[in-house]
Amino acid sequence: MGIVNVTPDSFADGGRYLDPDVACARARALAAEGADLVDVGAESTRPDAAPVSAAEELDRVMPVLERLLPEPPCLVSIDTQKPAVAEAALRLGAHMVNDVTGLAGGPALARVCARHGAALALCHMQGTPRTMQMAPRYADLLGEIRSHLARAVAEAEAAGVAPDAICVDPGIGFGKTVEHNLTLLRRLDALRPLGKPVLVGPSRKRFIGAILDLGAEDRLEGTLAASTVAVMTGAQILRVHDVEAVRRAVRVAEAIRDAADQ
Ligand code: HH2
């Protein structure tokens, strides 16, 4: 899953794809690099990001989708928590909704997906972007995330989303310390009982910067290491900025994982 942020303030690529033609070209380039899916978002969810109104989100994202969806180069997902934005995007032909809150806003978003026969990614977040990194705390990290996602999955299915159109995401960086993120990437297998494909988004995130003491623009190698581990521990979908590099790393990791014992 390649990332296209149509935002002024995203942590890694804020401001680069505000022009709809540039954003659309970026989505096509990511597909050409091998993305099966591009995730287009217009509200940053980085720590302390300011919330964006539905009108503003639509103003940013619709011109991109209007250019992209008549001839999509791959599947297209809309990264939003707002039913009105999801509705507009799915009407234009988007295939999936990526909800970083895991239906924290209630089942309306899932109903929109159900009505359009769209897929839904459900992510775990503790708190909101404004508060999530203040003091993230868990009594049982893996258990709490699994049960939060299980509740969201049940809610989505009750709203009519097809069971085989739902994936789950532990939410790297969403109300997590560095150690929480590392544990999650090592233990993605803990989400297997949910019976859904696991999506994970480690790309260029702050935990990599904390380990390597590097800014977002210098986190490619860290992203490759995290992506490789994620594939070994149970991820089926990786949400990344650097599609070609991650695909190459992951293909080697998968070959090693799947090689028969000699
Ligand atoms: N991370 C970000 C945004 N959306 N969606 C899912 N399912 N999983 C993630 O880990 C995830 C996500 C944050 O990354 P990015 O889009 O690069 O930055 P920003 O939120 O600042 O736009």
Side-chain angles (χ1 to χ4, degrees):
M1 174 190 264
I3 302 171
V4 181
N5 284 317
V6 195
T7 54
D9 56 344
S10 288
F11 76 95
D13 57 359
R16 289 182 60 184
Y17 306 111
L18 275 174
D19 179 320
D21 289 320
V22 176
C24 189
R26 177 67 180 163
R28 293 191 190 283
L30 291 174
E33 286 183 25
D36 299 307
L37 187 65
V38 290
D39 189 38
V40 184
E43 177 176 29
S44 173
T45 44
R46 74 180 157 73
D48 208 28
V52 171
S53 71
E56 173 72 29
E57 217 178 308
L58 286 165
D59 274 356
R60 291 178 186 174
V61 84
M62 292 307 278
V64 180
L65 297 179
E66 278 158 9
R67 285 162 175 76
L68 189 62
L69 284 169
E71 286 178 64
C74 60
L75 297 175
V76 175
S77 118
I78 170 78
D79 186 346
T80 189
Q81 44 189 292
K82 298 189 185 72
V85 176
E87 174 71 40
L90 296 179
R91 247 191 225 165
L92 275 186
H95 307 90
M96 174 167 164
V97 174
N98 174 24
D99 176 16
V100 294
T101 74
L103 298 182
L109 190 65
R111 281 195 218 108
V112 172
C113 290
R115 216 169 35 246
H116 288 273
L120 177 59
L122 296 168
C123 190
H124 174 272
M125 179 185 283
Q126 188 182 77
T128 66
R130 271 279 154 89
T131 62
M132 67 190 180
Q133 290 307 116
M134 281 172 182
R137 197 168 301 153
Y138 299 83
D140 168 12
L141 176 75
L142 299 170
E144 284 174 42
I145 290 177
R146 189 170 47 229
S147 56
H148 170 108
L149 290 172
R151 257 197 319 276
V153 165
E155 211 169 288
E157 291 183 356
V161 182
D164 65 356
I166 297 171
C167 62
V168 292
D169 181 336
I172 298 297
F174 290 157
K176 317 283 181 341
T177 63
V178 170
E179 288 71 25
H180 292 145
N181 291 317
L182 301 180
T183 300
L184 287 168
L185 286 164
R186 197 178 63 241
R187 289 299 321 279
L188 289 175
D189 63 295
L191 301 182
R192 204 170 289 151
L194 297 171
K196 304 293 181 195
V198 173
L199 162 65
V200 72
S203 192
R204 302 185 190 174
K205 280 191 177 162
R206 202 175 283 193
F207 75 96
I208 297 172
I211 295 168
L212 298 177
D213 194 19
L214 289 171
E217 64 285 357
D218 290 319
R219 295 177 189 165
L220 174 60
E221 298 87 347
T223 298
L224 297 177
S227 300
T228 303
V229 170
V231 162
M232 300 300 287
T233 61
Q236 275 87 30
I237 307 170
L238 294 165
R239 184 181 181 280
V240 296
H241 302 85
D242 306 284
V243 170
E244 183 175 64
V246 171
R247 264 190 78 97
R248 288 179 181 169
V250 161
R251 275 173 61 195
V252 174
E254 284 174 337
I256 295 167
R257 183 193 64 192
D258 300 339
D261 283 341
Q262 301 296 315

